[in-house]
Amino acid sequence: MTDLAVYTGLFLVAFAAATIFPMQSEAGLAALIVTKQYPILVLVAVATTGNVLGSTVNWLLGIGIERYRDKRWFPASQPALDKAQRWYRRHGKWSLLLSWMPVIGDPITIVAGVLREPFPMFLLMVTIAKAARYAVLAAATLGIMS
């Protein structure tokens, strides 16, 4: 498999994992690190970029989602939306540092869009969170291999 195909695959898995699709980008990154065929910094950068762009899709969905809130098919109840918005207003942009976490990370990025968190701040906080997560994972994977 070519390097481009490997990096593209990692990017796509990381991108999808940050959206509403249930994917595990961590396993893919760890597996590639274990092969010792690719530079770790490049792998972490590719995974981070894909994951941040996936979260950006969530932020954009959040911006546009409000107009559908009263539709029968809308996936979240009004009380659930209100609760999420209260939580985000209380913790603000700092809650985006939890965007790497399973289960709660994706909704945080969507709510950031709903509440119109400025994109530069959103991008900064989410990039810090996602890069740190992948860096820790890479270090842990290297530690296991040693």
Side-chain angles (χ1 to χ4, degrees):
M1 189 177 307
T2 69
D3 289 357
L4 180 59
V6 169
Y7 293 135
T8 301
L10 179 60
F11 175 88
L12 292 173
V13 168
F15 178 89
T19 63
I20 58 173
F21 299 108
M23 302 284 272
Q24 288 294 321
S25 60
E26 296 86 357
L29 177 61
L32 290 171
I33 290 171
V34 169
T35 69
K36 297 183 179 182
Q37 294 179 3
Y38 307 97
I40 292 170
L41 289 178
V42 174
L43 292 173
V44 168
V46 168
T48 298
T49 302
N51 215 235
V52 169
L53 289 177
S55 291
T56 300
V57 169
N58 292 345
W59 181 81
L60 291 168
L61 287 172
I63 286 177
I65 208 165
E66 283 291 296
R67 71 179 127 208
Y68 301 111
R69 153 183 286 198
D70 297 325
K71 301 290 184 189
R72 173 179 275 182
W73 52 264
F74 193 74
S77 67
Q78 187 61 47
L81 282 173
D82 292 342
K83 182 179 178 181
Q85 288 178 4
R86 279 193 308 275
W87 189 86
Y88 191 86
R89 283 188 180 106
R90 185 171 349 126
H91 301 288
K93 65 186 172 208
W94 301 108
S95 64
L96 290 167
L97 293 174
L98 300 175
S99 63
W100 66 271
M101 292 186 68
V103 181
I104 69 167
D106 298 342
I108 290 171
T109 59
I110 293 170
V111 171
V114 169
L115 295 177
R116 305 296 198 269
E117 181 67 49
F119 185 68
M121 182 55 66
F122 171 87
L123 192 60
L124 174 66
M125 300 302 271
V126 170
T127 300
I128 290 169
K130 306 287 186 157
R133 183 252 322 259
Y134 286 127
V136 168
L137 176 67
T141 301
L142 290 171
I144 291 169
M145 293 171 31
S146 301

